[in-house]
Amino acid sequence: MKSLFQLSIFLLMNIAPIFSQSNCPMKMGVNLYFNEYWSGEFPFSNLMLQSSPKWIVRDINNPEPDEWASDKYHDSLTKDMNGYPIEIPQTFKSQDEPQIAMSILFLDSNGPYPSGNYTLLYDGNGEINLFGGDVGSIISKTTGRIVFKVNNNYQGVGIQITKSTKGNHIRNIRVLLPDTENTIASHPFNPQFLKQLEPFSCIRFLNWGGVNNSTQNKWEDRNLPTYFTQSSSSKGAVAYEYMIQLCNILKKDMWICIPHAASADYRINLATLLKNQLDPSLKIYLEYSNEVWNDIFEQHWYIKDNAPSDIVFHTHKYAYLANECFKSFESIFGSSSNRLIRVLAGQHYNPWILEEAVAKMKEIGGKFDALSVASYFAPIGLNGNLTVNEIAQQTKAEIANHAKNHILSLSNLAKANNVPVVMYEGGPHMTKDQFGGLDQPFVPALCQFHESQQMYEIYNDWLHFLKDTAHVELNNILGFQDDICYFGHIKNLWDNNPTLKMKAVLDNICKTVDNQYIDKIQGIVYPNPFLDNIYIQLPFNELSSIALRDINGQLIKNYQS
C-alpha cells in the first residue's frame, strides 16, 4: 500500500540562509587577525604553524627563570632550511650548559580552544616533550607519534625538543587539533575557521603578511610553507602559498598588501606566483603597503626617504611608489590585468590625502581601479562615568556630524574618477584602551556597549549608509577573531552563534534566501499531496536542505545539497 505524502510550508521554513555575493550592491570582506600562538583565531589544523616566531632556547638541566620565555639565542642555534635545529642539545660558547629548544603552541589566546585528544607527529629521531598547564594525560606514545589530552584552562600548551639526532634530526613537527588528522592531507586549515569565513567574499591578508613595519626586501626574505612556523611575526610571516590556497578553497577574492620595501624582483616573483596559482576566476585587490599616511608605521618613513627627492608631498611620494608597485604586477599579468584591482588608499578623516594621491597618480600617467579608506565609526573623547546609552549617543553624534560626511567626500571623488569605493578596514573603532587606558571609569560600560543591542543598531545603520548612500562596493571588516572589546567580531571561533557585531555584518550580506521573508516566497509544488513523484520550482538556484514530511507532519526524509 502506498503512503500519501504532503509537502507543506514547513519545507520552506527549513531552508537556511545561503550567502551569495555575486550581485550584491555591497560585498563584505574580512581582515584576518595575526597568526600567532596568542591570537585565538586557530586558522590551521596544525598548531605548529601558529607557534612561537622563534625557538625558545634554554639550559638542558637548570634553566634560569628568564630562559623560559626568551628567544634571544634562537639565531645561535644551527638549523636546517626550514628552521629546525639540526641537533639537540647544542652547545654555545656563551652558555655553560648544553641547550634545548622549546616552542609555544597556544597561550593567553584571545579565544577558547577545544578540549580533547590532540596528535603530535614528527619525522626523525629524538625526544619531544609537552609542557603547559593545559597538557593532560598522554593517551599513547610511539616513535613519531604522541596522542595527548588537552584541557581548556587557558594555561597553554608547548613542545620542547630535548634530544634530536644529527643526521636524522627531528623535523616536520605537526600538532593537530582533535579530529583533523584525516583532513590535514587535503588542506592545512581548521574546518571551523573555514566555516566562519564562508559568508565573506574577500580576504585581506594585511596581518598574515606582517606588512606593518615589514623588513622584507628580497624575494628570499619571504617565508616558505615548509618553515616550522607561519607566525605573522616570524622571519617572513605567513607564506603566500597558504594565502592562495585559502582563497582557492573558499573561492574568495584576495586582497594582498605589498611590503613597502619589496624590491622590483620581489614584486615580479609575487605577481608570477599569484598569476600561476590563484584561481583565475578570483580577483586580486592590490594595495601598496598599508596606511602609509600613519607615522606610527615604518612604511610612512620609508616612503618619505625612498621616493624621488623632487617629489615634495608625502602623499605624492606614496602615489609614485604605489604606481611602481602596480606596474610590476601589470608587467606579469599582461592581458590578464583585468584580474587586478589596483587600490589607492587614504585616510577616512583627511580626504585631502587621497585627493592629492589621485591627482599625482593621474599626473604621472598611473592607473588605479578603486579608492579606499577605513570605514570606522567611534565616539570621540570618552571620559568620566558613562553608561552604555551615553556611549551609544556619543557614537551616533560623531557618525552624523563627521564620519558620514568624510565617506561621502570619498564617494564623490571616486565618482568623479569613475572608479568604485572599497574599504580596506572597517567597523567599530573603540577599544577599551583607546581613550586613556584600561583604568578609565567608562571602560566597563564601553565593553558592554560592544555586546549591546545599541551596537547592533548603530552598526547596522552604518552598513546601510555605506551600501545605500555612499555606494561602497566592498567593505572589509577588521577584527575577525579578537577580544570583543577591541576589534573582535568573533570572540569564540567554535561558537556558530554570532555576536551582535557579527550579526550586523551578516544581516548586511546578500543571501539567496532571507529567513525573514521565507513565508512570502512564491513557488510551484505539484502535485501536492502526492504518491510517487513531486516537482518543485522555486525562485532561487541553491538550497541547503529540503525536509519531506508525511501528511501528519512526521519527517520522512531530509535532502541536503
Side-chain angles (χ1 to χ4, degrees):
M1 179 178 176
K2 293 184 177 180
S3 299
L4 182 68
F5 299 98
Q6 182 177 35
L7 198 66
S8 73
I9 193 66
F10 292 105
L11 170 146
L12 298 179
M13 294 300 289
N14 285 334
I15 301 173
I18 301 167
F19 298 103
S20 177
Q21 299 201 58
S22 58
N23 296 311
C24 285
M26 182 175 76
K27 299 178 181 179
M28 286 288 188
V30 62
N31 282 268
L32 297 183
Y33 197 39
F34 298 97
N35 182 44
E36 305 286 0
Y37 68 79
W38 45 261
S39 76
E41 197 162 84
F42 294 93
F44 295 101
S45 295
N46 174 12
L47 300 182
M48 197 66 191
L49 297 182
Q50 67 172 42
S51 64
S52 309
K54 296 183 177 182
W55 291 103
I56 299 167
V57 182
R58 68 172 184 84
D59 295 344
I60 189 170
N61 291 318
N62 299 297
E64 298 176 4
D66 63 339
E67 291 178 334
W68 281 101
S70 173
D71 59 13
K72 64 181 179 179
Y73 293 111
H74 167 89
D75 293 336
S76 299
L77 282 174
T78 303
K79 302 179 287 291
D80 67 15
M81 64 181 297
N82 293 318
Y84 289 99
I86 63 169
E87 66 174 330
I88 292 291
Q90 291 189 25
T91 302
F92 307 152
K93 290 182 180 179
S94 61
Q95 299 297 301
D96 296 332
E97 293 189 46
Q99 304 293 300
I100 63 173
M102 307 166 58
S103 186
I104 300 171
L105 301 177
F106 50 87
L107 179 67
D108 298 328
S109 63
N110 286 319
Y113 37 88
S115 302
N117 294 341
Y118 288 57
T119 303
L120 189 158
L121 306 171
Y122 63 92
D123 300 337
N125 184 53
E127 184 70 27
I128 296 182
N129 295 325
L130 296 151
F131 70 89
D134 283 334
V135 176
S137 58
I138 302 297
I139 307 300
S140 64
K141 185 174 183 178
T142 57
T143 300
R145 179 185 176 87
I146 303 172
V147 179
F148 62 101
K149 184 177 180 180
V150 166
N151 304 308
N152 188 345
N153 297 317
Y154 288 90
Q155 295 178 0
V157 172
I159 62 165
Q160 55 183 6
I161 305 175
T162 57
K163 182 179 180 182
S164 184
T165 304
K166 189 173 184 178
N168 187 25
H169 62 281
I170 286 180
R171 59 199 182 276
N172 191 25
I173 301 174
R174 291 139 288 159
V175 183
L176 307 181
L177 289 167
D179 304 318
T180 61
E181 191 170 358
N182 293 330
T183 64
I184 198 73
S186 58
H187 67 77
F189 302 107
N190 173 6
Q192 183 63 18
F193 173 72
L194 297 181
K195 183 174 182 178
Q196 295 282 16
L197 283 175
E198 284 177 359
F200 299 96
S201 71
C202 178
I203 302 173
R204 187 170 183 254
F205 291 99
L206 165 70
N207 294 322
W208 271 28
V211 170
N212 287 332
N213 307 314
S214 173
T215 59
Q216 293 186 56
N217 171 251
K218 299 178 181 179
W219 184 236
E220 52 265 32
D221 293 338
R222 76 187 188 98
N223 213 351
L224 295 174
T226 52
Y227 196 66
F228 82 96
T229 181
Q230 298 293 311
S231 161
S232 299
S233 54
S234 63
K235 69 181 186 72
V238 179
Y240 289 115
E241 287 86 349
Y242 284 125
M243 303 181 198
I244 293 169
Q245 188 178 13
L246 180 62
C247 289
N248 285 345
I249 289 172
L250 292 174
K251 302 300 180 187
K252 308 299 181 185
D253 292 333
M254 184 179 194
W255 187 308
I256 192 79
C257 299
I258 310 304
H260 58 272
S263 66
D265 177 71
Y266 184 113
R267 300 192 301 260
I268 292 294
N269 277 284
L270 176 55
T272 302
L273 180 70
L274 293 173
K275 182 181 180 183
N276 292 339
Q277 293 193 17
L278 186 69
D279 184 332
S281 69
L282 301 176
K283 295 288 187 180
I284 301 169
Y285 290 84
L286 183 62
E287 181 185 6
Y288 175 63
S289 191
N290 171 69
E291 290 192 358
V292 299
W293 49 265
N294 194 336
D295 63 8
I296 68 171
F297 296 131
E298 178 60 33
Q299 53 262 37
H300 172 89
W301 303 104
Y302 176 90
I303 285 175
K304 181 177 181 294
D305 297 335
N306 287 275
S309 59
D310 61 336
I311 301 178
V312 178
F313 293 128
H314 188 277
T315 188
H316 291 175
K317 292 176 184 286
Y318 158 64
Y320 175 87
L321 292 176
N323 187 50
E324 291 299 299
C325 176
F326 296 162
K327 288 193 295 186
S328 294
F329 278 75
E330 292 161 13
S331 70
I332 296 301
F333 277 81
S335 61
S336 300
S337 291
N338 61 344
R339 294 177 60 191
L340 301 175
I341 300 176
R342 296 157 293 191
V343 179
L344 207 58
Q347 186 180 14
H348 179 182
Y349 268 51
N350 190 350
W352 177 86
I353 290 176
L354 200 45
E355 290 167 0
E356 287 298 316
V358 167
K360 185 63 177 180
M361 186 68 86
K362 293 164 75 172
E363 176 189 318
I364 62 179
K367 298 177 181 178
F368 57 95
D369 306 297
L371 299 181
S372 184
V373 297
S375 59
Y376 289 122
F377 61 89
I380 299 297
L382 297 180
N383 60 79
N385 289 297
L386 298 173
T387 65
V388 169
N389 187 59
E390 288 171 332
I391 295 173
Q393 293 306 314
Q394 290 190 34
T395 303
K396 290 179 182 179
E398 179 60 25
I399 289 173
N401 295 334
H402 299 105
K404 285 185 176 181
N405 291 335
H406 292 310
I407 294 295
L408 291 176
S409 295
L410 170 64
S411 181
N412 291 333
L413 180 63
K415 185 177 180 180
N417 287 276
N418 198 32
V419 295
V421 175
V422 294
M423 302 301 191
Y424 64 83
E425 294 170 8
H429 194 308
M430 49 190 86
T431 67
K432 59 188 176 184
D433 59 357
Q434 178 177 323
F435 304 96
L438 296 173
D439 59 349
Q440 296 297 313
F442 56 79
V443 168
L446 178 62
C447 292
Q448 292 172 32
F449 175 50
H450 273 276
E451 299 191 70
S452 69
Q453 183 64 26
Q454 290 102 314
M455 170 61 80
Y456 169 82
E457 292 169 358
I458 292 171
Y459 202 173
N460 186 52
D461 288 346
W462 177 249
L463 293 173
H464 275 286
F465 161 75
L466 295 179
K467 176 177 60 177
D468 300 331
T469 305
H471 305 296
V472 172
E473 184 175 279
L474 170 67
N475 185 63
N476 288 312
I477 65 168
L478 181 72
F480 185 52
Q481 162 70 48
D482 193 4
D483 186 329
I484 205 70
C485 201
Y486 278 87
F487 293 101
H489 286 71
I490 296 174
K491 62 180 180 179
N492 180 355
L493 184 75
W494 317 96
D495 185 356
N496 293 320
N497 297 309
T499 64
L500 284 169
K501 283 198 287 189
M502 183 58 85
K503 185 178 186 301
V505 172
L506 296 178
D507 284 352
N508 283 275
I509 293 180
C510 290
K511 309 176 187 72
T512 305
V513 179
D514 189 329
N515 278 338
Q516 184 177 355
Y517 301 107
I518 278 179
D519 60 344
K520 297 181 182 179
I521 290 176
Q522 299 298 313
I524 300 173
V525 178
Y526 65 93
N528 192 26
F530 65 98
L531 295 174
D532 297 305
N533 299 317
I534 188 169
Y535 300 87
I536 305 171
Q537 181 179 333
L538 296 171
F540 38 79
N541 296 323
E542 297 178 84
L543 291 175
S544 63
S545 66
I546 295 178
L548 178 65
R549 302 178 184 275
D550 68 18
I551 201 165
N552 295 315
Q554 296 298 309
L555 181 66
I556 302 300
K557 185 73 174 180
N558 189 40
Y559 295 89
Q560 300 291 333
S561 63

